[in-house]
Amino acid sequence: MKKLIVALAAVAAFSAQAETLNVAATAVPHAELLEFVKPQLAEQGVTLNVKVFTDYVQPNIQVAEKRLDANFFQHQPYLDEFNKGKGTDLVSVAGVHIEPFGAYSSKHKSLDALPNGANVVIPNDATNGGRALLLLAKAGVISLKDGAGITATPKDIADNPKRIKVRELEAATLPRVLTQVDLALINTNYALEAKLNPTEDALVIEGSDSPYVNILVARPDNKDSDAMQKLAAALHSEEVRQFIQEKYKGAVVPAF
């Protein structure tokens, strides 16, 4: 009887300490990484629920409104612009990985083969659109006005020798229009979902030194919670590093 009482007390203590984290993520690679660490967190008394989103807006809105605890889909420049534009105060908990950004074409084998007046599509959010233009500028397709940075827009194009026509579309739709345009600059998470291989299929891609580190994001009131810190630690584990390197083979790069 005494052993039974001790066992029941231990179960009660564990239940009292058990915590739940509801985290928003895009499917690849973010949700996959969260699912990978879920068993490790369960052993530490944290239940991780992953909710998959296909857009870059609702994950932040729902965390800010306390409908979810955290999200994992974005880089710091995007979060900074979102907070500024929406009046939110979401914060980074941990930087996890880099997804080198690439340009893809189903019609042309190289950027040199782009025709005059080529139709080019880029993400329509400020930081990823700017990121796309910076990549095109680095590749020599265009040049940008002095001072144009991560929030550059097509209006900042200074020199356009091929007279490419740049359109801005929602990031999630870009893989779906790839066959309809000459060039699409696609976030790696959406490229992977579309079964593109960034390291082989991209005509040009950022280096692994890209500053756009994908981050775990929470609110100021819960960023330091025990459960959140356990999740951050799990995402920084050697097991996660090896998982990223083996599964994504350079399309996703550990940032820790």
Side-chain angles (χ1 to χ4, degrees):
M1 177 61 74
K2 185 177 293 185
K3 289 183 178 180
L4 177 60
I5 292 173
V6 171
L8 291 173
V11 170
F14 177 82
S15 299
Q17 295 173 0
E19 299 176 85
T20 298
L21 282 178
N22 297 303
V23 182
T26 43
V28 181
H30 307 85
E32 292 177 343
L33 293 174
L34 292 172
E35 292 292 343
F36 180 77
V37 301
K38 184 181 286 189
Q40 179 182 339
L41 289 171
E43 291 177 359
Q44 300 177 57
V46 178
T47 299
L48 182 63
N49 296 324
V50 182
K51 184 173 182 180
V52 175
F53 285 78
T54 60
D55 73 288
Y56 288 166
V57 176
Q58 280 302 310
N60 276 338
I61 294 293
Q62 294 199 24
V63 173
E65 294 179 349
K66 298 187 177 182
R67 287 184 277 166
L68 294 170
D69 300 305
N71 65 53
F72 182 35
F73 75 95
Q74 65 196 311
H75 49 64
Q76 189 68 52
Y78 180 88
L79 177 61
D80 292 342
E81 284 296 311
F82 189 93
N83 279 335
K84 180 180 176 181
K86 300 294 186 181
T88 49
D89 61 350
L90 301 176
V91 295
S92 171
V93 179
V96 180
H97 69 271
I98 297 165
E99 299 170 17
F101 189 86
Y104 302 83
S105 177
S106 63
K107 299 180 179 181
H108 311 292
K109 298 297 185 181
S110 70
L111 293 179
D112 289 338
L114 287 176
N116 287 334
N119 289 304
V120 178
V121 290
I122 66 174
N124 67 355
D125 63 273
T127 52
N128 285 308
R131 184 182 187 183
L133 293 172
L134 288 170
L135 183 59
L136 289 176
K138 185 176 181 179
V141 178
I142 59 172
S143 64
L144 297 171
K145 296 176 183 176
D146 290 343
I150 60 172
T151 57
T153 73
K155 293 181 180 179
D156 292 308
I157 296 176
D159 189 32
N160 186 2
K162 285 182 176 285
R163 300 190 298 280
I164 64 171
K165 300 171 183 175
V166 179
R167 287 187 295 143
E168 298 169 289
L169 299 175
E170 185 179 348
T173 69
L174 295 177
R176 298 200 291 270
V177 303
L178 180 58
T179 60
Q180 303 168 34
V181 299
D182 292 292
L183 191 71
L185 286 99
I186 303 174
N187 290 80
T188 293
N189 60 305
Y190 292 132
L192 290 171
E193 287 180 36
K195 308 303 180 185
L196 293 167
N197 184 331
T199 58
E200 295 181 6
D201 298 332
L203 302 188
V204 61
I205 194 168
E206 291 175 338
S208 59
D209 59 347
S210 168
Y212 296 91
V213 176
N214 279 237
I215 52 179
L216 175 66
V217 170
R219 297 182 304 275
D221 68 282
N222 71 349
K223 69 180 180 67
D224 294 320
S225 72
D226 184 59
M228 196 72 67
Q229 291 303 309
K230 286 177 179 176
L231 174 56
L235 289 171
H236 276 189
S237 67
E238 184 59 29
E239 291 80 6
V240 166
R241 179 192 295 276
Q242 292 177 7
F243 178 80
I244 291 173
Q245 292 172 334
E246 293 172 6
K247 183 174 179 63
Y248 303 110
K249 302 184 186 306
V252 179
V253 182
F256 57 91

